Amino acid sequence: MPQDDTLFVTFALMKFEKYHISPEIKKSLRELEFKKPTDIQFKSIPPILKGDDVLAIAQTGTGKTAAFAIPVLSTLQNRVRKNDTGQIRAVVMVPTRELAVQITDVFKSIGKYSGLEILTVMGGVEQAAQIDQLQKGVDVLIATPGRVFDLVNQGHINLRQLEILILDEADHMLDKGFIKDIRDLIRFLPRKRQTLFFSATINETIKELAYSLVHKPVRIQISPKDPVSKNVEHAVAFVDMDDKRFYLERLIKQYPDKKILVFVRTKVRAERVFSAMGRVGLDTATMHGDKEQDDRLAVMEQFKSGEVNVLIATDVSARGIDIAGVEYVINYDLPDVAENYIHRIGRTGRGRSKGQAVSFCSEEEKPMLAEIEALLDKEVRRMEIKKSEHLETLAISEEIPNDWRSVLKEIENQENFKPKKKKR
Ligand code: ADP
Ligand code: MG
């Protein structure tokens, strides 16, 4: 049976300086101003350094990346690299290319002085130089499973001497969409290896599947009763499908300087919402699986730098993405999968910052809200919208012609003057 290592601490006391990690890694942690480990780092680093398999679950934005990057880099630095050319020593599997880029950045900054070779590969990008590097050997390779599988199949890399396999967003990586790729890949890996799973969510079925792939894992779970980060305040507003765009317009206008991440259900809806905002003069960008690779990377940069403040995305951006200063998450549509609610709203309130999230729920989405609440085991706070507020929202919209606006204003005034009906 896996060991259940549940602990509730807010801040670990031991500073990174005191850890058994290399001085080179300590130096880069000082530069990053990471002084003390977060809870999940405090609990994960020792067993990973020891060589154990680990299944770690901790809320969004609590520093899971460094929780595996620090001990993995330190371990690789301490061990002697085999002289064989083309050895890949550790692979980090992630669900999206944006996440691969982000995690590569984390590994590169923590491993800045380690002398280790860190690389990400992705489709649609100039490959010759990357393949050259892969054939020389790489200490840490970060990629989506499909990409790694292609490289193995094409004979560009061999994973027979892999030391550590890491699955970030592990429940998703072991779920329907990815499990086949993962299983195919595992056939190419040595049986004796260290395997690490990290995620903010996991269900019983996936947990069993994860255990079947490893040897006596150490299980670490922080705050298992509440999967939503304490830093995120979240609520739901009941809004008709056809009115959602007016509410989004109002929110964007209300917070012109805030970084807002808007989640929609499909690629087509992302483009539609983008056009609707464009019609009322609001500058936004979209992010979804139909965009070219270069576009996807450029859009992420624009959103990061603040060149655009509103990003309309599908669930490709729900998991793992860490962008500083996202203050608001709007679920323009509820997600198709309840877990994604936790991941989406977890794009705000990261590290020590606070964030807000609101979901627009139409009549037909109420069953999904019920599923989300069942998963959270609590009710999501209701945001009440008064009739007058609703009319005001419509009135604010640039989309509604001016004469219509004055009519609405009149109706609203009449409403205000109406004698209140007695409650029955
Ligand atoms: P998770 O994967 O748990 O959602 P990330 O690994 O993306 O979270 O980290 C969230 C944020 O916390 C990042 O911006 C990261 O730089 C920051 N962070 C991680 N560890 C520390 C630490 N020990 N001290 C300060 N900030 C940290
Ligand atoms: Mg993460």
Side-chain angles (χ1 to χ4, degrees), residues 7-26:
L7 190 84
F8 305 87
V9 275
T10 317
F11 273 102
L13 292 174
M14 192 161 98
K15 294 187 172 159
F16 281 126
E17 286 300 330
K18 302 242 165 95
Y19 271 71
H20 291 291
I21 50 179
S22 70
E24 290 80 9
I25 289 172
K26 285 182 184 172

Side-chain angles (χ1 to χ4, degrees), residues 81-89 117 119-121 127-141 150-159 161:
R81 185 175 214 291
K82 296 211 173 67
N83 261 336
D84 298 50
T85 50
Q87 188 197 358
I88 311 286
R89 301 177 70 196
E117 194 65 52
L119 187 76
T120 180
V121 284
Q127 270 190 47
Q130 295 192 332
I131 287 170
D132 225 39
Q133 184 56 56
L134 285 166
Q135 286 174 346
K136 279 189 217 135
V138 167
D139 294 291
V140 186
L141 174 65
D150 287 348
L151 290 166
V152 174
N153 257 348
Q154 292 159 11
H156 292 310
I157 58 173
N158 102 55
L159 298 175
Q161 286 165 330

Side-chain angles (χ1 to χ4, degrees), residues 205-412:
T205 323
I206 301 281
K207 212 181 268 178
E208 287 309 310
L209 177 56
Y211 289 148
S212 75
L213 298 173
V214 294
H215 183 66
K216 283 197 190 152
V218 176
R219 174 181 149 195
I220 299 162
Q221 192 159 7
I222 310 277
S223 308
K225 293 228 159 57
D226 194 0
V228 175
S229 162
K230 288 176 196 69
N231 295 351
V232 182
E233 235 181 71
H234 58 120
V236 59
F238 294 110
V239 177
D240 281 348
M241 201 52 104
D242 291 340
D243 291 338
K244 286 183 174 184
R245 63 182 192 281
F246 302 123
Y247 280 87
L248 180 61
E249 178 185 350
R250 183 177 181 167
L251 267 168
I252 296 174
K253 285 180 176 165
Q254 200 172 336
Y255 303 113
D257 302 319
K258 281 196 177 171
K259 229 176 241 191
I260 303 177
L261 182 53
V262 182
F263 283 105
V264 293
R265 225 186 55 248
T266 63
K267 301 162 191 171
V268 172
R269 279 182 66 75
E271 292 303 329
R272 274 203 203 133
V273 176
F274 168 80
S275 306
M277 293 305 109
R279 279 200 299 277
V280 294
L282 295 175
D283 198 16
T284 66
T286 59
M287 177 69 190
H288 53 71
D290 269 359
K291 288 183 99 89
E292 295 292 326
Q293 186 54 47
D294 288 352
D295 273 358
R296 281 171 67 154
L297 295 175
V299 163
M300 289 318 277
E301 277 311 312
Q302 284 173 345
F303 189 50
K304 249 189 216 167
S305 71
E307 201 182 320
V308 281
N309 270 333
V310 182
L311 182 65
I312 301 163
T314 59
D315 278 331
V316 290
S317 305
R319 283 189 178 248
I321 297 298
D322 181 57
I323 293 180
V326 173
E327 286 178 82
Y328 230 114
V329 169
I330 296 170
N331 287 321
Y332 192 87
D333 300 318
L334 290 188
D336 283 335
V337 191
E339 271 90 3
N340 276 1
Y341 180 81
I342 295 165
H343 293 282
R344 284 173 169 198
I345 68 172
R347 293 318 100 210
T348 183
R350 304 191 62 77
R352 282 163 207 250
S353 45
K354 301 247 179 273
Q356 290 191 64
V358 62
S359 303
F360 297 166
C361 179
S362 65
E363 194 56 38
E364 53 268 52
E365 291 170 292
K366 283 184 176 168
M368 183 36 89
L369 178 63
E371 267 188 54
I372 291 165
E373 293 182 322
L375 177 70
L376 302 179
D377 202 19
K378 62 171 77 151
E379 227 187 40
V380 176
R381 185 168 67 82
R382 266 60 178 160
M383 240 167 102
E384 221 199 305
I385 302 172
K386 293 201 191 89
K387 183 107 190 180
S388 57
E389 280 173 304
H390 178 64
L391 291 170
E392 198 182 303
T393 304
L394 302 190
I396 286 169
S397 176
E398 312 267 333
E399 203 183 297
I400 310 223
N402 276 326
D403 49 339
W404 262 105
R405 267 199 253 174
S406 50
V407 174
L408 284 171
K409 196 87 201 147
E410 245 168 61
I411 298 173
E412 186 190 341

Side-chain angles (χ1 to χ4, degrees), residues 64-65 168-169 320 350:
K64 290 188 288 294
T65 319
D168 192 26
E169 305 298 338
R350 304 191 62 77

Side-chain angles (χ1 to χ4, degrees), residues 36-152:
K36 288 178 186 167
T38 63
D39 287 355
I40 190 65
Q41 292 162 4
F42 178 71
K43 294 291 286 175
S44 317
I45 294 172
I48 298 177
L49 287 174
K50 231 174 83 195
D52 286 336
D53 287 342
V54 167
L55 169 75
I57 307 297
Q59 296 161 327
T60 53
T62 57
K64 290 188 288 294
T65 319
F68 57 81
I70 293 169
V72 164
L73 288 166
S74 193
T75 300
L76 294 177
Q77 242 192 308
N78 281 341
R79 281 188 206 146
V80 185
R81 185 175 214 291
K82 296 211 173 67
N83 261 336
D84 298 50
T85 50
Q87 188 197 358
I88 311 286
R89 301 177 70 196
V91 170
V92 186
M93 304 274 199
V94 294
T96 62
R97 300 161 218 176
E98 289 71 34
L99 198 48
V101 171
Q102 178 184 307
I103 290 189
T104 306
D105 287 346
V106 174
F107 268 88
K108 282 192 171 163
S109 49
I110 297 177
K112 190 170 167 192
Y113 304 106
S114 66
L116 296 169
E117 194 65 52
I118 296 152
L119 187 76
T120 180
V121 284
M122 60 183 77
V125 167
E126 181 54 58
Q127 270 190 47
Q130 295 192 332
I131 287 170
D132 225 39
Q133 184 56 56
L134 285 166
Q135 286 174 346
K136 279 189 217 135
V138 167
D139 294 291
V140 186
L141 174 65
I142 299 118
T144 58
R147 193 76 205 114
V148 180
F149 187 65
D150 287 348
L151 290 166
V152 174

